[in-house]
Amino acid sequence: MTTKTYGYARVSTDDQDCSVQESALSAAGCDLVRCEKKSGATTEGRRELEILLDFLRPGDTLMVTRVDRLARSVADLEKIVSILNERGAFLRATEQPIDTSTPAGVAFLQMLGVFAQFETAIRRERQLEGIAKAKEAGVYKGRQPSVPVDEVRRLKAEGVRPADIARRLQIGRGSVYRALAGAA
């Protein structure tokens, strides 16, 4: 039975590019490389990853450039590795000494998973601190409202039904109801 090596590349935002990861994975000998533009904060909705995990057979390898391209939490990483183990497949990384076919590779993977989760938590903490500081200074105002609340309330006062308000303003009916609830 011939085993395969499947590459998985991921970037978080639409303005980022997978080409560097795809090149590295191809150069490392991947038979197939799949890429997606999704946050690594969760495995939910990461269709390309799901497809690759479904493809894996005993002896196959899932290869990434770095473990943070695969998962940002220890729980998600453990879930993915568990799926690989159930299928008799392995995980390798091109830029890190990760190879779950060896005990040392498994240990290194677990350590990197802890650091990836720690990095995410620290980034989030810094972001919240920055927002709080900006609010104190009166600089941070949050995003602009996408629903013209005053216009919704004016139309309702004129007797326009919520469904008609939503159509006129091209917003969801739920947004109309939330705007009206805020007036109460």
Side-chain angles (χ1 to χ4, degrees):
M1 182 161 123
T2 305
T3 61
K4 298 272 188 185
T5 300
Y6 297 102
Y8 177 70
R10 183 193 61 78
V11 292
S12 299
T13 61
D14 285 335
D15 62 334
Q16 293 176 315
D17 185 11
C18 287
S19 61
V20 172
Q21 292 176 60
E22 290 172 322
S23 295
L25 293 167
S26 293
C30 290
D31 298 296
L32 173 73
V33 177
R34 304 292 295 235
C35 174
E36 66 188 333
K37 297 182 178 191
K38 287 279 189 179
S39 169
T42 180
T43 56
E44 297 299 315
R46 288 171 51 194
R47 185 73 184 123
E48 297 299 324
L49 177 59
E50 292 171 17
I51 289 169
L52 285 175
L53 292 174
D54 286 344
F55 270 40
L56 294 168
R57 302 292 173 252
D60 286 348
T61 298
L62 176 63
M63 188 177 295
V64 293
T65 55
R66 295 184 320 271
V67 72
D68 68 339
R69 299 298 86 207
L70 188 59
R72 285 284 193 174
S73 75
V74 173
D76 282 343
L77 186 58
E78 287 174 347
K79 182 171 87 173
I80 293 167
V81 170
S82 175
I83 292 168
L84 294 173
N85 288 339
E86 287 171 13
R87 293 193 180 354
F90 305 104
L91 174 64
R92 288 182 47 215
T94 62
E95 297 177 21
Q96 298 163 324
I98 295 171
D99 182 348
T100 60
S101 67
T102 69
V106 170
F108 197 79
L109 172 67
Q110 291 169 340
M111 285 187 292
L112 282 178
V114 168
F115 288 122
Q117 184 170 330
F118 177 67
E119 178 187 358
T120 299
I122 293 296
R123 186 181 319 108
R124 178 73 178 141
E125 186 177 292
R126 285 186 189 142
Q127 180 184 25
L128 292 174
E129 287 173 359
I131 290 170
K133 199 176 225 180
K135 283 181 178 179
E136 282 177 21
V139 177
Y140 183 84
K141 308 271 191 253
R143 76 177 173 94
Q144 295 297 315
S146 58
V147 175
V149 175
D150 292 337
E151 183 67 7
V152 168
R153 291 175 183 164
R154 184 187 67 73
L155 289 169
K156 179 63 177 161
E158 290 177 4
V160 180
R161 295 179 349 186
D164 294 329
I165 294 171
R167 259 191 299 284
R168 277 191 202 178
L169 300 179
Q170 297 180 339
I171 59 176
R173 273 195 339 222
S175 297
V176 172
Y177 288 116
R178 281 189 295 279
L180 295 174

